[in-house]
Amino acid sequence: LRPIFGEDPYYVGAVDLLLEVGKQSRQWEPIVELLDVGADQGDGVDDDLYVRLVLELAALQTNNLKNDHEAIRRYSQVLERAPHNETALDALEHLYEKTASWFELLQIIEVRVEMADDASERCDLINRQSVLYEEKLQDFPSAVDAQLRIIEEAGLDGARIVALRRLYAQTEQFSELYGLLGEYVDVLTTDEELIDVQLELAEIAMEHLADPEGAIDHFRTVLAIQQDHVSARMGLESLLDNEMVR
């Protein structure tokens, strides 16, 4: 097979024949060596033929030779010819996660974002990027940017508030959190939710923004919804007393 394959690695049936020989002999190194020849002589070859050969080669590298580095190199070659090839994308996603190659995984997910037609699918993928930035890279600003990207895509919801509340607190961006919660109250529909967020706004205004007047307004909003709310009344009275002292 070596002279035949070396002369034309893309002749009809060549790859299948090599794979069958490998299965029978269980000697994958010489098979991979011959496929390497084809993969490295792919200039001018039809894309479908080239992609098929390199995919088989990459699969042998990861499944039979346990060479993840070389498998990544070959799957990446596939994407150079076929950027949206699902087999290569799936394999690289797995390999990058396995090897903790987080920046490379982020790039693969971004390709999937660009491929996705459904807004919900895009948001799920971008949220995965946000989680990677936060949990694997401790890059909180990039995690915030990903969450804001989801809001641009699908609007503000409770899940984004939970994520951004955590991220803004982590980065001490209390002014941004205050503005975000101020927008969020406009989409809330129940008194219980409104009260919770107004109390949170009051706390941020007092503790982080040095804005007692803003806190007073939030406490008054709570009391307009529920006149006997104990925490809001106590907070309001405390702030008014302090204002009088000043």
Side-chain angles (χ1 to χ4, degrees), residues 168 172-181 204 208-209:
Y168 279 143
E172 297 186 347
Q173 293 178 272
F174 295 107
S175 179
E176 288 80 358
L177 177 56
Y178 186 81
L180 180 74
L181 293 173
I204 294 171
H208 302 290
L209 302 182

Side-chain angles (χ1 to χ4, degrees), residues 60-221:
L60 289 175
Q61 289 287 4
T62 190
N63 296 327
N64 298 86
L65 301 187
K66 310 302 180 185
N67 188 338
D68 291 340
H69 176 77
E70 189 63 18
I72 287 171
R73 185 172 79 88
R74 291 307 189 183
Y75 281 123
S76 297
Q77 284 182 318
V78 171
L79 294 184
E80 291 174 7
R81 287 286 190 97
H84 294 171
N85 184 276
E86 287 285 356
T87 301
L89 288 170
D90 286 344
L92 284 171
E93 191 170 334
H94 170 74
L95 287 165
Y96 286 146
E97 189 158 5
K98 179 182 177 182
T99 58
S101 303
W102 306 122
F103 288 108
E104 291 80 0
L105 178 56
L106 284 164
Q107 293 172 354
I108 293 298
I109 297 173
E110 184 60 30
V111 173
R112 292 198 179 282
V113 172
E114 295 169 359
M115 291 171 57
D117 294 325
D118 180 68
S120 177
E121 182 182 356
R122 286 195 298 274
C123 289
D124 288 343
L125 290 164
I126 297 168
N127 190 62
R128 283 188 62 198
Q129 291 179 315
S130 181
V131 171
L132 285 171
Y133 278 123
E134 180 182 3
E135 296 183 358
K136 302 300 183 181
L137 298 173
Q138 284 74 57
D139 182 352
F140 302 111
S142 293
V144 167
D145 289 343
Q147 292 295 329
L148 294 177
R149 187 178 174 192
I150 296 173
I151 292 174
E152 291 178 2
E153 183 82 35
L156 189 57
D157 61 14
R160 303 288 73 76
I161 290 295
V162 169
L164 284 168
R165 179 187 285 121
R166 180 181 64 253
L167 291 165
Y168 279 143
Q170 184 74 37
T171 54
E172 297 186 347
Q173 293 178 272
F174 295 107
S175 179
E176 288 80 358
L177 177 56
Y178 186 81
L180 180 74
L181 293 173
E183 294 178 21
Y184 188 47
V185 295
D186 293 334
V187 302
L188 297 177
T189 57
T190 69
D191 288 348
E192 182 179 1
E193 291 175 317
L194 284 167
I195 287 172
D196 287 344
V197 175
Q198 289 291 347
L199 289 174
E200 186 174 1
L201 284 165
E203 180 181 0
I204 294 171
M206 287 189 301
E207 300 295 332
H208 302 290
L209 302 182
D211 182 11
E213 292 183 359
I216 287 171
D217 289 340
H218 293 302
F219 284 133
R220 283 177 170 160
T221 299

